[in-house]
Amino acid sequence: MIQLNLIFILLLFATLARYLVFDAFDPVMFALIFSFPIASIGIYIMSKKFAEKERSYQPKDIPEWSFSNKQTSLLNEKPLFRGEERRGYVKRYFTKRGRYVFADIFGSSWYLSLEIQIDQDVYDVRCDREKWLTQQDRWIITKNGEQIGEAHTRINLKNMTKLKEAIEFTFQDTSYLSSASTITSTISLTQDEELLGTMKRNHIISTVQVIDVKEDQPEYIIALIVHSFYFKNK
């Protein structure tokens, strides 16, 4: 939305400069410029409708963990279910207001921070990206205000050429790896090559994300959710 409004402002200034410098004015082009803010309003209205559907999501015939993720523009809570029982929520947030604008323009993976509630515990996955030119993104993970882990992407030439996504998580000195192919929706979580869980769409065109883990360990669920929001929310 912000990206479209920024383009509108730039084109408006360019049209004004063209008129002042060259005394040239194209009414058709001027009218077309206003299609950008109109499109932005349309996206906002659709995002509001999708956000309402996320809030009213109720799983059907899904015994695993699941939530609906239909839109990325609005920072609303997305209810998190285990079977038909609501067990918490997932919510994106930004540590600084300006970062919301930056992420809307350059991509949803920028400055990703998440608040995840599971039962009575609140987990905070806070973006730790302070260096603009760093190749990796990092996060500090806390539970009810106390640090329990950290994570960082594993972006390198080898993974990029293989179209492979990867994030390494560390919880209490134990390391886990979330990974996926760029061209598929299925995410795997492993420890020393042992599969601990997966996350994927309920079906190929569904916006419902299903998390299937060997044990209902919050760390497994958090890792899969973080990977999904960082790599799959395009």
Side-chain angles (χ1 to χ4, degrees):
M1 293 185 295
I2 296 174
Q3 188 179 45
L4 292 175
N5 289 326
L6 181 61
I7 294 173
F8 165 70
I9 293 171
L10 292 175
L11 289 176
L12 196 62
F13 274 113
T15 301
L16 179 61
R18 183 169 179 263
Y19 174 74
L20 293 175
V21 175
F22 300 105
D23 195 25
F25 178 76
D26 186 342
V28 175
M29 181 61 68
F30 185 73
L32 287 174
I33 290 174
F34 283 88
S35 65
F36 287 94
I38 293 172
S40 177
I41 294 172
I43 292 174
Y44 176 76
I45 293 172
M46 291 299 297
S47 295
K48 291 280 286 184
K49 291 182 178 180
F50 288 152
E52 185 57 37
K53 289 183 178 180
E54 289 174 343
R55 284 190 289 266
S56 61
Y57 166 69
Q58 291 288 334
K60 296 180 180 179
D61 301 320
I62 301 176
E64 300 87 2
W65 294 84
S66 67
F67 66 96
S68 176
N69 190 17
K70 296 178 72 69
Q71 59 82 36
T72 60
S73 298
L74 305 181
L75 307 179
N76 59 296
E77 293 182 3
K78 307 172 192 286
L80 179 64
F81 286 83
R82 177 68 160 90
E84 296 182 356
E85 179 186 5
R86 177 168 175 170
R87 299 281 295 274
Y89 63 80
V90 181
K91 180 182 179 181
R92 182 174 186 176
Y93 74 93
F94 290 90
T95 55
K96 297 179 182 179
R97 185 174 299 179
R99 291 182 172 182
Y100 173 81
V101 177
F102 195 92
D104 189 81
I105 295 173
F106 293 101
S108 60
S109 63
W110 282 84
Y111 298 118
L112 173 68
S113 293
L114 294 171
E115 180 180 291
I116 303 170
Q117 182 189 33
I118 300 176
D119 297 327
Q120 302 303 315
D121 297 315
V122 177
Y123 299 86
D124 182 44
V125 184
R126 182 176 291 264
C127 169
D128 193 35
R129 183 181 188 134
E130 298 298 337
K131 297 180 180 179
W132 275 55
L133 299 179
T134 182
Q135 189 179 22
Q136 312 298 338
D137 278 299
R138 311 185 73 89
W139 297 271
I140 300 298
I141 304 172
T142 62
K143 174 184 177 181
N144 301 326
E146 295 186 6
Q147 184 173 343
I148 61 168
E150 58 186 33
H152 65 87
T153 55
R154 290 175 55 171
I155 299 174
N156 52 50
L157 183 60
K158 180 180 179 180
N159 285 343
M160 291 173 64
T161 54
K162 291 185 175 181
L163 299 179
K164 181 180 179 181
E165 311 160 351
I167 302 178
E168 183 176 344
F169 294 83
T170 303
F171 293 101
Q172 299 175 348
D173 298 324
T174 302
S175 295
Y176 306 90
L177 183 69
S178 68
S179 60
S181 170
T182 304
I183 59 177
T184 63
S185 67
T186 302
I187 304 165
S188 299
L189 181 68
T190 58
Q191 179 191 9
D192 297 329
E193 299 186 356
E194 177 188 359
L195 182 64
L196 302 176
T198 61
M199 179 175 179
K200 60 183 178 181
R201 295 174 183 168
N202 192 32
H203 53 77
I204 191 169
I205 60 172
S206 176
T207 59
V208 174
Q209 305 294 325
V210 179
I211 303 169
D212 186 8
V213 288
K214 293 179 65 174
E215 301 176 44
D216 283 347
Q217 293 287 350
E219 292 86 354
Y220 301 172
I221 299 167
I222 290 166
L224 290 164
I225 291 174
V226 171
H227 189 116
S228 175
F229 272 77
Y230 185 83
F231 282 110
K232 302 302 185 183
N233 277 9
K234 304 299 184 184

